[in-house]
Amino acid sequence: MMDDIFIGGALDLDTDERHWIPQSDDVAFKPLVLSVSQGYYVNILRVRASGILSRHRHNGPVHALTLRGKWHYLEHDWVATAGDYAFEPPGETHTLVVPEDVTEMATLFHVTGGYVYVDPYGKPLGYEDVFTKLENVRQHYERIGLGASYADRFLR
Ligand code: FE
């Protein structure tokens, strides 16, 4: 049996900035579980920009619980705000948009499998999964002096 994971204050969004892994200038994520054994990850995505973020196609299911701010997909007519939950089915291609009046959005995502970034014509541009996330996390902790093995607490 593998070890459990307990993260106190997991939803405290404004505490330790070292726990946020930068993905680009305005996008960062905080890992909760990196399950390489079952091919999924749970993280909190934080976006401090507005506009179209990315268009991508998932090969597995996604669960999204919005904690702060507001966002939506071009492909759906709902808008997610704090407290809202969404399920996105495997095979879906969607385009994440943060409205202009939002300074920050934070959402807890449970992502199984991976997703492929695609252009408007569906041409693949890159991919992400628990393994690319783990690599980002390790590099970040190494860079800030906590050491790459700090990522092991989220790894199962
Ligand atoms: Fe997605």
Side-chain angles (χ1 to χ4, degrees), residues 106-125:
T107 302
L108 190 153
F109 282 102
H110 179 307
V111 178
T112 296
Y115 54 94
V116 179
Y117 294 111
V118 292
D119 75 4
Y121 302 98
K123 186 181 163 222
L125 303 171

Side-chain angles (χ1 to χ4, degrees), residues 54 56-58 62 73 88 92 94 96 109 111 115:
S54 78
H56 53 271
R57 182 186 190 280
H58 285 270
V62 177
Y73 292 124
E88 305 151 37
E92 175 165 298
H94 52 218
L96 180 61
F109 282 102
V111 178
Y115 54 94

Side-chain angles (χ1 to χ4, degrees), residues 5 35 56 82 100-101 128 135 156:
I5 294 177
S35 177
H56 53 271
E100 277 204 354
D101 59 333
E128 203 89 74
E135 194 50 38
R156 292 292 183 275

Side-chain angles (χ1 to χ4, degrees), residues 134-144 148:
L134 174 60
E135 194 50 38
N136 289 349
V137 172
R138 281 186 164 144
Q139 284 176 8
H140 169 75
Y141 290 141
E142 185 65 30
R143 197 166 46 234
I144 65 169

Side-chain angles (χ1 to χ4, degrees), residues 2-16:
M2 61 181 96
D3 290 341
D4 58 339
I5 294 177
F6 174 80
I7 302 169
L11 301 188
D12 294 345
L13 303 175
D14 303 307
T15 49
D16 199 339

